[in-house]
């Protein structure tokens, strides 16, 4: 499954996109509920020998590393075979590029 930028799983995890006030939003546990239910449904239909992988983007729009570590641990315990995370950001999250020296 792809939970990176713009994909449905990522939209549920992203606090800036997920403004829900029900059990699927409002806090990291609620925002992680959707992906956990999807993994559970896949695992239920495929069995333990089927590889289930997940890609997530962290530290972007309210997704902090500690929340993702918690979520990935829960997912691995509940049936995800592997998880791949990448650190992403926006232009505002990276330090500004220093100006080049004269003559360069």
């Amino acid at each position: 499954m792809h939970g990176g930028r713009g994909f449905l799983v990522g939209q549920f995890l992203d606090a800036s996109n997920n403004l829900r006030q029900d059990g699927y939003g409002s806090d990291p546990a609620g925002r992680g509920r959707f992906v956990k239910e999807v993994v559970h449904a896949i695992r239920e239909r495929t069995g333990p020998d089927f590889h289930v992988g997940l890609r997530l983007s962290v530290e972007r729009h309210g997704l902090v590393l500690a929340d993702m570590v918690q979520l990935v641990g829960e997912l691995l315990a509940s049936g995800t075979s592997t998880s791949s995370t990448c650190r992403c950001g926006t232009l505002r999250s990276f330090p500004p590029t220093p100006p080049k020296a004269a003559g360069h």
Side-chain angles (χ1 to χ4, degrees):
M1 289 188 315
H2 201 311
R5 171 185 259 201
F7 289 86
L8 184 61
V9 168
Q11 290 176 16
F12 268 87
L13 293 171
D14 188 337
S16 68
N17 283 327
N18 184 350
L19 304 178
R20 297 173 67 119
Q21 296 299 310
D22 60 8
Y24 293 93
S26 73
D27 63 13
R31 292 190 304 271
R33 180 178 174 187
F34 177 77
V35 67
K36 288 189 267 185
E37 289 182 2
V38 170
V39 168
H40 177 75
I42 292 170
R43 183 57 65 215
E44 219 174 40
R45 287 163 181 80
T46 60
D49 295 330
F50 186 81
H51 176 77
V52 178
L54 175 64
R55 175 149 178 125
L56 299 171
S57 298
V58 298
E59 294 186 5
R60 186 174 115 22
H61 299 300
L63 293 176
V64 295
L65 185 58
D67 296 338
M68 289 297 101
V69 168
Q70 174 75 29
L71 177 62
V72 167
E74 292 171 9
L75 290 168
L76 290 172
S78 68
T80 304
S81 305
T82 61
S83 176
S84 168
T85 58
C86 64
R87 183 173 189 268
C88 298
T90 63
L91 288 176
R92 285 174 272 186
S93 67
F94 292 99
T97 304
K100 291 184 179 184
H104 285 56

